[in-house]
Amino acid sequence: PLCSTKTMLCRTPCCWTILAVLLITLLPVLPASARVLTDSTLGLSEVAWGKEVDHDYLGSPALLVLGPEQTNGAGTVLLASLEHFSSGPAPACFNGTKPPPGNLTRQDMDRLYTQQQSFLLSSDIDQQGPATSTSSMHYTFVYESVDNGTTWRLIGQVPQMHFMTLFLHTDGNVYGLGTGAGLTVARSPDRGRSWTTSVVLPGSFSGGSNPVLYANGHVHRAVHVRTMPHAPFSVGFGSVMTSAPISSNLSDPASWNATAPLVFDPAWVTEPWQQHPWVAPGYLEGNPVLGADNKTVYNVLRVNSLPYANVACVLRLSADGLRQEFVKLTDFPGGMSKFDVKFDDKTGTFVALSSFVSVDYCPNSRNTLVLIASRDLMTWTKPLTILLQDDTGLSSYDSLRYTGFHYVSFDFANSDGSDIAYLVRTAYRGAVSYHNSNRITYKKLPDWRRYLPQAWQN
């Protein structure tokens, strides 16, 4: 196609050739609303795109659905936040090494897993906090859609903010809660257009754009800290639960408290995950969730369980909110990468969207997004339906290397929560690796409760 395009331009008049070259050159920088991807069968709307050749990658998506009752009758408004990063793992499951099909031994896989973990430690910048002050990583960008996610436009940016999640507070303002120079609160009185920020807890916090939880009169947000700065990625990560009274001024540092970091203990690992030693055991990116008793706050975390996959960890917050304690490790489809958990009041069901790992030789893979559910947070279903799966035509191995549907953020839509709207960090059709996402995309799952077991639907 490049040759035929060049030939066509050479045969056209000079002015048309110059115009075409200018359009092709300027097209990536011309302002335009994001739109439905037309070169895809997945029904995705593109919120933002990063230019792959410039190492401009997109991450930390967060979604907030505002219904007509929350927009003063202006209809449903969707807000999406995201950030840019500039580094990540090599474009392969095994640190760039592509062996001939069928020639991998168990020893080869163990060695390559270890290589990948070493690479993650040195280059997974989006897990290690903000970059320099001149980097776009210190900004979170906010987009808006007023047509149910078909098109999006950039409306604001939040300085000095990383891993931000969006929520509507009881005072009617939209808030962002993330990290920067510490735990940082951002407040917007105009639905994302302008922001004021306050550092409310000092510390080197990190964590994906995981949701906030309103429970027991408090706003909760899970983060983590590095307690062992030179250890491999995830080793020594300490889980921290932060909280503030709902009725307090969320921008006031005096309102906030945090538990002491709880570090993953390898002694927690039991059967069936003991046949092979874990490469770099640890956890991160927790989801605060109110338990079925309507009073206990739990934290469900992603677990770095190499060489295994699909494992999550459940922690429990003490009644006084001062500490977390270990509950259990559990089978959790998609537990190897960041996932999103919420509770559905209508069915009494915990719901999660996650990046399910279906091949044991590549536990870091993220090319399949699924819906799973639980009645008690401790036992989770197998995938109830596949939400996104690679349609590019890549070989199965290259799909694992170059396609990723991950770091999902979702919200219930409609007045009865019958649909799930979700935002996805997306490495797809042009990405340099499954990790280094070139797009943030949006989609809706209609009538999601039909996928639950029949006994749970009532």
Side-chain angles (χ1 to χ4, degrees), residues 288-301:
V289 188
L290 187 63
D293 63 1
N294 208 34
K295 63 179 182 180
T296 305
V297 173
Y298 293 93
N299 187 7
V300 187
L301 297 99

Side-chain angles (χ1 to χ4, degrees), residues 310-327:
N310 303 315
V311 181
C313 182
V314 182
L315 303 180
R316 178 170 48 230
L317 183 66
S318 62
D320 57 13
L322 299 180
R323 66 190 182 280
Q324 295 186 100
E325 57 189 16
F326 172 72
V327 178

Side-chain angles (χ1 to χ4, degrees), residues 169 171 175 187 200 244-256:
H169 194 45
D171 61 7
Y175 280 78
R187 175 181 172 274
V200 294
I246 293 174
S247 59
S248 68
N249 177 2
L250 298 186
S251 299
D252 183 356
S255 300
W256 288 87

